[in-house]
Amino acid sequence: MAAASADVRAFFSQMLTEKTPMTRDDAIKQLSSMARERAFGRHVGSDRLIQAGLDALIAGVESPSLAMLAGLLRSEEPEAPALFDQVLEELGLLFHPPADPRAAKWAMAYWIAGQIADGSLDPATGTHLIWADIAYDLDYPEKLEPLVHCAHNLDGWEEIWGVSFEELNKEAVEAAKQFLSKRSDAEAED
């Protein structure tokens, strides 16, 4: 489990260091994702906030505070969280999780599953987050069991199992899609 935790940290720190041309929509999605990450209590370093601001500025996103965020120097990093929140507010991207802790955990589970399903989050990392940070706190509800099962398989995978790691990743993506579809079905019935 410690190895998977290290993988989770490595993934989140690596997310923003890979450089590819970013569209305006990509930059908005990145800002929104970081807003949720922070709202759900995950640490997002000032360096990442500043880089996201720079990426957004280069991608053509316009906000009165964005240039200030993107231009912060290392000595000004403590100002980044407040400026980042100001940018989010200006862009209408501020996110507040539900006040109820259980509802907030469920919201986080759906958000992570959505990222697994759309390919923006590695299935092993995402299912591990659901297993370690959500399912445990919710007393391992039946709805999360398929994702937790995938996390166990991905975390303990060995080549001798006769199934490839890629196949287990595909199963995790399918489990995330099923989890999301059950939410959509339940909402349609309401």
Side-chain angles (χ1 to χ4, degrees):
M1 188 136 137
S5 293
D7 290 341
V8 170
R9 285 191 300 276
F11 171 78
F12 281 116
S13 66
Q14 190 177 30
M15 276 177 62
L16 298 177
T17 58
E18 297 172 358
K19 295 294 174 198
T20 56
M22 188 174 287
T23 66
R24 183 183 188 288
D25 288 344
D26 291 339
I28 294 291
K29 185 175 180 179
Q30 176 179 273
L31 292 170
S32 181
S33 180
M34 290 175 79
R36 286 181 182 265
E37 201 175 330
R38 292 179 71 226
F40 286 127
R42 309 227 30 105
H43 174 73
V44 181
S46 293
D47 58 330
R48 286 185 55 208
L49 300 176
I50 294 166
Q51 184 63 52
L54 183 59
D55 291 345
L57 193 63
I58 291 170
V61 175
E62 294 181 17
S63 158
S65 303
L66 188 57
M68 289 187 291
L69 173 64
L72 288 177
L73 302 172
R74 184 169 303 280
S75 63
E76 300 170 316
E77 281 186 359
E79 298 172 35
L83 273 172
F84 184 79
D85 287 343
Q86 193 171 335
V87 168
L88 294 176
E89 188 171 323
E90 292 164 1
L91 296 171
L93 298 175
L94 263 182
F95 174 78
H96 299 286
D100 174 64
R102 289 186 63 80
K105 288 292 183 179
W106 280 108
M108 186 176 177
Y110 284 111
W111 174 64
I112 291 171
Q115 290 183 302
I116 295 168
D118 74 12
S120 63
L121 182 59
D122 172 68
T125 302
T127 57
H128 179 80
L129 286 170
I130 288 172
W131 169 31
D133 293 353
I134 299 166
Y136 175 82
D137 292 340
L138 294 174
D139 297 321
Y140 296 99
E142 188 177 326
K143 286 169 129 178
L144 293 179
E145 194 280 326
L147 291 163
V148 170
H149 179 75
C150 290
H152 284 258
N153 285 343
L154 288 163
D155 189 50
W157 179 81
E158 294 183 22
E159 202 168 321
I160 61 171
W161 286 5
V163 62
S164 70
F165 193 77
E166 291 75 24
E167 187 60 34
L168 293 177
N169 271 335
K170 288 178 188 174
E171 288 177 17
V173 170
E174 188 55 38
K177 289 178 179 177
Q178 287 295 318
F179 175 68
L180 293 169
S181 73
K182 289 177 184 173
R183 177 187 190 188
S184 298
D185 293 344
E187 288 173 353
E189 293 171 7
D190 288 344

